[in-house]
Amino acid sequence: MAYILDFKDSDKGSLPLVGGKNASLGEMIKAGIPVPPGFAVTTDSYDAVITETGIKDSIYDALAGLDPTDMSALNRAAQEVQNMIKGVSVSNSIRAAISQGYLRLCELCGVANLPVAVRSSATAEDLPTASFAGQQETYLWIQGVDQVMESVQKCWASLFTPRAISYRLKNDFPHEKVLISVGIQKMVNARAAGVMFTLNPVDGDRSRCVIEGSWGLGETVVSGSVNPDKFVVDKVVLEFSEKTVSEKHIECVFDLEKGEVVNADVDPDIQCQCCLADQEVIELVKLGKRIEAHYGQPMDIEWAIDKDLDFPEGLFIVQARPETVWSQREVKPTLGKKTGYQLLMQRAMARMKIPDE
């Protein structure tokens, strides 16, 4: 069995082994996109653990016959299954593979006890037709083999949160058909981070790229706990059509004294400063266009800028998934060539006919 697989050896064909998120990271590395190095703990590892420890049948028995609207029963089943997974002993062979992978990553980056992000990556995740984003856990700034192992096991258990169980039931995804991989990726010591859409998520305009960012790690932007800076850029001429700088009161950072990631107050001197230079915004748009071209569809992207590196080396893409709202709209073919004015009018009229969701 392949217990671990380096991101650079992964691609979309590896999805059953490394899940959607990790497969996407491998795809981007192959396309020359700057992605922090790392590796995947494969679905083989997860399946081996629940099989060898004898809890596999117990997991699915606990989930049998659940009503997705009965939150009390969902919560009880979720807690029972998560406790099973977090309570088992991982075999020496799997533990050794994960440990060796982490130590090799430390050596590659030249840092002992390298801080890493430990992210869940399910096989039914980041798909064009379904969004499982945010249903499983992520652990940031994890250091040392013991912490990595503990976080991997927590990620496995998070495949069975009440929200994840309910989503699968409502969308007819059999629990036993959804496996989980875990990505272990070098942390970006983020000065700023955020999200990018290679279309305008408000109206579906594919000629625009929209970027939102704030100070520190991107979790404050993703969670909506901060009002981020916003940039709208024309993808063709690379000119700003909107630039909004917000007052950003908190940032997600690693606290050395507490030894954990926390939301901290932003220095008052920079609360109202723009978190990105114009050249960083334009470089992000260029990367977004390359990622969109590689996948052949609009994308939802997470990015970070490492404070320890100069531009453009410090700019990294940490996740990318297909955009799942506007991408599923019916695109009607047009006959013949149209002028730029006709195309703009066509887009405007199409937007006016789109019902609110």
Side-chain angles (χ1 to χ4, degrees), residues 5-11 20-40 105 108-109 114 117 119 183-189 196 283-284 287-288 290-291 294-295 299 301-306 309 312-321:
L5 188 66
D6 198 290
F7 288 158
K8 62 181 175 58
D9 298 322
S10 307
D11 56 30
K21 189 181 286 103
N22 292 335
S24 181
L25 293 171
E27 274 293 310
M28 288 192 289
I29 290 172
K30 283 182 166 56
I33 303 298
V35 171
F39 66 96
L105 186 58
L108 174 67
C109 298
L114 177 75
R119 302 181 186 273
I184 297 174
Q185 184 177 35
K186 178 186 180 295
M187 277 297 309
V188 177
N189 189 18
M196 168 169 58
E283 187 64 24
L284 279 171
L287 287 174
R290 285 170 58 191
I291 294 169
H294 181 76
Y295 281 87
M299 299 295 288
I301 297 164
E302 295 182 26
W303 55 268
I305 296 183
D306 197 313
L309 298 172
E313 286 75 19
L315 199 156
F316 292 98
I317 302 300
V318 295
Q319 282 191 48
R321 62 180 70 88

Side-chain angles (χ1 to χ4, degrees), residues 102 111-119 138-148 151 183-193 216-219 252-262 304-308:
Y102 173 69
V111 179
N113 289 325
L114 177 75
V116 293
V118 181
R119 302 181 186 273
T138 288
Y139 299 93
L140 303 177
W141 221 277
I142 301 302
Q143 294 176 274
V145 170
D146 290 342
Q147 281 192 20
V148 167
S151 300
I184 297 174
Q185 184 177 35
K186 178 186 180 295
M187 277 297 309
V188 177
N189 189 18
R191 184 198 83 227
L217 300 169
E219 270 56 32
C252 186
V253 294
F254 181 70
D255 187 307
L256 281 172
E257 292 184 3
K258 294 182 179 179
E260 61 184 17
V261 172
V262 300
I305 296 183
D306 197 313
K307 66 175 67 174
D308 299 326

Side-chain angles (χ1 to χ4, degrees), residues 48-239:
V49 166
I50 64 171
T51 301
E52 293 170 1
T53 57
I55 64 171
K56 190 171 187 175
D57 290 341
S58 298
I59 289 173
Y60 300 126
D61 287 346
L63 301 174
L66 283 175
D67 178 350
T69 64
D70 186 345
M71 290 309 302
S72 178
L74 279 174
N75 287 332
R76 287 195 302 272
Q79 191 63 58
E80 179 183 353
V81 172
Q82 289 184 70
N83 286 343
M84 287 185 211
I85 296 172
K86 288 188 283 190
V88 298
S89 296
V90 178
S91 69
N92 290 335
S93 56
I94 295 175
R95 181 178 291 273
I98 296 171
S99 299
Q100 289 166 12
Y102 173 69
L103 294 174
R104 281 198 300 268
L105 186 58
C106 292
E107 184 177 358
L108 174 67
C109 298
V111 179
N113 289 325
L114 177 75
V116 293
V118 181
R119 302 181 186 273
S120 305
S121 178
T123 53
E125 183 175 76
D126 294 353
L127 303 178
T129 56
S131 178
F132 289 74
Q135 290 191 17
Q136 283 81 50
E137 293 296 337
T138 288
Y139 299 93
L140 303 177
W141 221 277
I142 301 302
Q143 294 176 274
V145 170
D146 290 342
Q147 281 192 20
V148 167
M149 287 302 310
E150 180 183 357
S151 300
V152 167
Q153 214 155 336
K154 288 180 179 178
C155 284
W156 287 337
S158 73
L159 187 61
F160 299 100
T161 62
R163 179 186 171 197
I165 294 170
S166 176
Y167 188 90
R168 290 195 293 270
L169 290 172
K170 290 176 181 177
N171 290 276
D172 294 322
F173 279 87
H175 297 296
E176 62 273 14
K177 297 294 184 183
V178 181
L179 301 178
I180 189 165
S181 167
V182 180
I184 297 174
Q185 184 177 35
K186 178 186 180 295
M187 277 297 309
V188 177
N189 189 18
R191 184 198 83 227
V195 298
M196 168 169 58
F197 292 90
T198 62
L199 50 61
N200 192 328
V202 175
D203 58 16
D205 186 349
R206 297 192 181 196
S207 72
R208 298 288 187 265
C209 195
V210 177
I211 297 171
E212 293 185 341
S214 188
W215 301 118
L217 300 169
E219 270 56 32
T220 54
V221 178
V222 173
S223 67
S225 56
V226 71
N227 190 20
D229 296 339
K230 181 180 179 181
F231 314 88
V232 182
V233 179
D234 186 294
K235 288 159 66 177
V236 178
V237 295
L238 297 179
E239 291 181 352

